[in-house]
Amino acid sequence: MTWETVIGLETHAELATRTKIFCSCTTRFGGEPNTHCCPICTGMPGTLPMVNRKVVEYACRAGLALNCEITRRSRFDRKNYFYPDLPKAYQVSQLYLPIARNGRVSIATAAGEKVVRIHELHMEEDAGKLVHDPWLDQTRADYNRCGVPLVEIVTEPDFRSAEEVIAYLEKLKSILEYLGISDCKMQEGSLRCDVNLSVRPAGSRELGARTEMKNLNSFKAIARAIAYEARRQAELLEEGGRVVQETRRWDDNKDATFSMRSKEDAQDYRYFPEPDIPPLELSEEYLEGLRAEQPEMAEERKRRYQTQLGLPEYDAGIITGQKALVDFFEEVTALGVPAKEAANWMLGDMMRRLKEEELEPKDMRLTPATLVKLIGMVQAGRINRNTASKVFRGIFAEDLDPEEWVTVHGLEQIRDERVIAGAVARVLEEHPQSAADYRAGKEKALGFLMGRVMKELKGKADPGAVNALLKSRLETGGSEGG
Ligand code: ADP
Ligand code: MG
Ligand code: ZN
C-alpha cells in the first residue's frame, strides 16, 4: 500500500519586543536565572497584567502578512495546567477569539507554487525553563522567559512532505524577519515548531489519527522526525495496528520518537476567558494604518533588485533570501558601492567565510562599513582585487580594520615600475620558450608568464600594469628585457 503523509504545524515565534507581554520586565535572552522577573510575570497574588501594545501591533502585522482576517474584538483566555515552569499555574493565551484567522501563504515547492492555509494566529505568553542537573539530581526553575510574548501560528493539515514543511518555515521566518517582529533564532528557541502528522492510504480523503511532536528546533531535526514518524505509522497500520493520538518526543540522538503522553483535549485545560484583561477592540483606522505601513517582503524586494538595480535573478534571490543579507546589502550600496559589486562580494567572499565559520548572516560581526573601506582600497589602487580577497578572509571573523591588516601583513600593492620591470625581465629570461611561443601567436603563453610575474611579486602588483608591461616587452623583442 502507498501511504500519504499529512502534516499540520503549530509554530511559536517569540516577539522581539523590548518588554514582556503583561509587564515591563526585559525580554532579553539569557541573563542570570530569575533576574528578568517581577511579581506580575511570576503571577503573585494581587497583581494585574497590562497588555503591551507592541505585542498587539506585532501580532496584527504578522496576521496581515499571512493574509488573515484580523479579529476586531479579540480576547485572552486562561489555559490552566500545573507544571513547575509555570508559576501562575495558567498560561494567558487565546482560544475562542484569536487575533487573526483564515490566512494563507504560498510556498515554492519542486512541483510549483502551493498555498498553505493558516487556521489562526494567536498571542500568548511563554513559560519558564527547567534546568535538570543530573549530578546533583536536582531540577531548578528559571522564570526569565515567563511572560515573553509569543505568537502561535497554526496551519491547516496542508503539508504532504518534509520539503513542504521546511519551505513553509523558511517563508514564515522570512516574513517575520522582514516585519522585524521576531529574530527567529531556532537555536535560542525563539522559533519552534510542533509537528502534527498522520498517514492515510494514497487517494483517501479522510484524515488518519495523528501524533504530535513537540518543540522541534532545527530544520534537520524536523525533516528526520517527519521521515521517522511517517514510516512508524505506516508500518503500524500495515501490521494491522492503530495509531494512537498522542504527543511524542523526538530524540535526535536515538533518531526515533517516543511516546510522552496521550494527547490532552482543550477541556483538560479548563480554558476560560481571562478575567483580568478586557477584550481587545481594534479600530478600522488602526488596522488601516498598519496595512499602509507593511514593509516590502522578500519577493517584491527581489523583483525590485532585478528590475531597478539590474541584479541577476540568482544574486537577487540569495540576498533577499535572508533579511540580514538584505540589510547588509542596503548599507553597502548606500555607502556608494555599485549593486553588482556589492553582490559579488557578498555571494563570493562573504558566503564562503560564513560557511567556513558555520555562521548565520545575522550573527556575523563584519560590518558594511568595513567591507566598503576594503573596496575603497582596491579602487584607490592600494591593493589589487586578489589581495583584497585575502584581506577579507583575515578580517572577516572579528571585523578587523583592513588598513591595519594590509600594513601589518605588508600587502600594499607594488607600484614601483622598476620593481615590476625587474620581475618581468627575470621571468622572460627564465622562460625563453614561452616568450617565443607567445611571439609565434600562442596567446596562452601570456597567461603563464603573467602568473610567473605575479608570483615573483608575491601577488601584490596591479595585474593590469603587469600585463601591459609584459606585452610591451614581448612585442619589442629581446627576452633579456631591461
Ligand atoms: P488541537 O486543538 O488538539 O491542538 P487542532 O485541530 O487545533 O488540534 O490541530 C492542531 C494541528 O494539527 C493543526 O496544525 C492541524 O492542521 C493539525 N492536524 C489536525 N488533524 C490532523 C491530522 N489528522 N493529521 C495531521 N495534522 C493534523
Ligand atoms: Mg494545539
Ligand atoms: Zn515581569
Side-chain angles (χ1 to χ4, degrees):
M1 169 117 47
T2 351
W3 300 91
E4 181 179 49
T5 307
V6 176
I7 303 162
L9 290 188
E10 297 163 280
T11 310
H12 287 90
E14 268 180 14
L15 297 177
T17 53
R18 221 169 29 79
T19 58
K20 291 185 179 179
I21 183 168
F22 301 124
C23 65
S24 53
C25 291
T26 178
T27 56
R28 215 176 321 115
F29 180 76
E32 282 293 299
N34 302 309
T35 54
H36 299 170
C37 307
C38 75
I40 295 172
C41 52
T42 49
M44 297 296 164
T47 58
L48 279 176
M50 255 233 287
V51 180
N52 179 341
R53 62 170 54 237
K54 265 285 182 243
V55 172
V56 177
E57 180 194 320
Y58 285 5
C60 286
R61 285 191 187 284
L64 290 171
L66 296 169
N67 305 299
C68 292
E69 295 158 17
I70 304 296
T71 311
R72 293 280 300 279
R73 191 168 201 272
S74 79
R75 216 172 54 188
F76 287 98
D77 302 294
R78 277 190 194 179
K79 179 180 184 176
N80 299 281
Y81 66 95
F82 181 77
Y83 199 65
D85 66 358
L86 190 70
K88 291 202 284 207
Y90 61 84
Q91 178 193 31
V92 178
S93 180
Q94 297 190 295
L95 178 71
Y96 303 104
L97 292 169
I99 191 152
R101 281 174 288 198
N102 301 328
R104 47 189 29 238
V105 56
S106 72
I107 58 171
T109 73
E113 191 112 315
K114 167 166 182 159
V115 171
V116 173
R117 294 167 299 157
I118 304 293
H119 180 75
E120 67 170 79
L121 175 151
H122 64 254
M123 299 176 279
E124 60 186 32
E125 58 183 334
D126 210 345
K129 189 174 77 181
L130 297 182
V131 187
H132 308 286
D133 183 335
W135 291 103
L136 297 175
D137 196 21
Q138 281 180 344
T139 295
R140 299 171 181 210
D142 175 2
Y143 295 139
N144 283 352
R145 230 172 51 191
C146 282
V148 167
L150 299 173
V151 285
E152 177 173 343
I153 300 159
V154 184
T155 74
E156 298 295 346
D158 285 348
F159 304 102
R160 299 293 175 267
S161 67
E163 290 70 40
E164 291 181 5
V165 165
I166 287 167
Y168 163 81
L169 288 170
E170 299 266 23
K171 179 72 178 263
L172 187 61
K173 214 167 147 216
S174 163
I175 290 174
L176 300 176
E177 286 178 354
Y178 271 75
L179 289 171
I181 65 174
S182 173
D183 62 20
C184 296
K185 288 189 178 169
M186 284 189 121
Q187 70 282 14
E188 288 181 8
S190 60
L191 189 73
R192 43 192 203 260
C193 192
D194 305 341
V195 175
N196 297 272
L197 186 149
S198 60
V199 298
R200 63 183 176 190
S204 157
R205 300 194 55 81
E206 263 164 69
L207 291 172
R210 73 173 190 274
T211 60
E212 177 171 8
M213 295 177 281
K214 280 208 179 290
N215 282 334
L216 293 165
N217 61 2
S218 78
F219 288 168
K220 217 157 95 201
I222 290 168
R224 291 169 63 204
I226 288 173
Y228 174 87
E229 184 60 14
R231 193 165 9 92
R232 187 191 71 87
Q233 290 187 13
E235 279 169 10
L236 194 61
L237 293 173
E238 289 198 344
E239 286 163 6
R242 208 168 59 81
V243 174
V244 200
Q245 187 174 331
E246 63 182 354
T247 302
R248 298 180 69 86
R249 180 177 56 85
W250 168 252
D251 188 324
D252 222 15
N253 298 317
K254 299 208 173 75
D255 215 355
T257 62
F258 296 93
S259 179
M260 263 170 84
R261 54 172 186 260
S262 66
K263 171 79 182 168
E264 58 291 304
D265 271 319
Q267 63 185 13
D268 294 337
Y269 291 120
R270 294 157 24 250
Y271 274 101
F272 62 86
E274 167 60 57
D276 288 343
I277 304 173
L280 205 62
E281 305 263 6
L282 302 175
S283 70
E284 195 48 48
E285 298 78 73
Y286 174 74
L287 293 176
E288 261 322 303
L290 293 185
R291 268 189 212 106
E293 285 170 15
Q294 284 289 82
E296 186 183 45
M297 295 287 168
E299 291 94 20
E300 295 165 83
R301 180 82 64 129
K302 180 181 168 194
R303 246 173 280 127
R304 189 163 65 75
Y305 281 0
Q306 288 179 253
T307 55
Q308 213 169 307
L309 305 180
L311 284 189
E313 182 181 1
Y314 178 78
D315 298 28
I318 300 276
I319 293 172
T320 57
Q322 296 193 51
K323 184 59 170 26
L325 293 179
V326 164
D327 292 342
F328 195 94
F329 175 81
E330 287 288 330
E331 282 191 56
V332 169
T333 50
L335 290 168
V337 176
K340 182 59 183 149
E341 180 162 18
N344 287 347
W345 273 101
M346 292 177 66
L347 268 60
D349 301 79
M350 182 187 279
M351 284 302 186
R352 206 168 304 127
R353 290 296 281 126
L354 284 168
K355 205 173 252 163
E356 283 170 6
E357 302 279 331
E358 290 176 21
L359 268 182
E360 294 284 328
K362 65 180 150 203
D363 298 322
M364 177 173 76
R365 289 176 62 185
L366 182 85
T367 61
T370 301
L371 177 57
V372 172
K373 191 168 179 187
L374 179 62
I375 293 171
M377 292 173 73
V378 179
Q379 281 165 350
R382 307 253 324 269
I383 51 178
N384 64 36
R385 180 60 178 81
N386 255 333
T387 305
S389 265
K390 282 187 211 145
V391 176
F392 184 91
R393 165 162 288 284
I395 63 176
F396 173 84
E398 311 276 328
D399 190 38
L400 301 175
D401 180 8
E403 289 270 359
E404 224 173 284
W405 185 274
V406 165
T407 310
V408 169
H409 293 84
L411 296 173
E412 193 95 26
Q413 185 146 288
I414 296 170
R415 284 193 271 195
D416 188 334
E417 283 268 345
R418 280 170 309 177
V419 176
I420 299 176
V424 166
R426 279 196 301 283
V427 167
L428 289 180
E429 205 172 288
E430 280 162 25
H431 303 281
Q433 189 54 50
S434 301
D437 286 351
Y438 177 76
R439 292 199 190 96
K442 284 196 191 154
E443 286 284 331
K444 260 208 206 141
L446 184 67
F448 169 76
L449 292 168
M450 262 299 287
R452 304 311 298 186
V453 177
M454 286 304 278
K455 196 165 175 212
E456 189 71 20
L457 297 169
K458 299 200 170 62
K460 293 189 293 189
D462 168 12
V466 172
N467 190 283
L469 194 68
L470 192 55
K471 265 188 168 161
S472 96
R473 286 297 143 90
L474 281 164
E475 271 143 33
T476 55
S479 63
E480 62 280 352

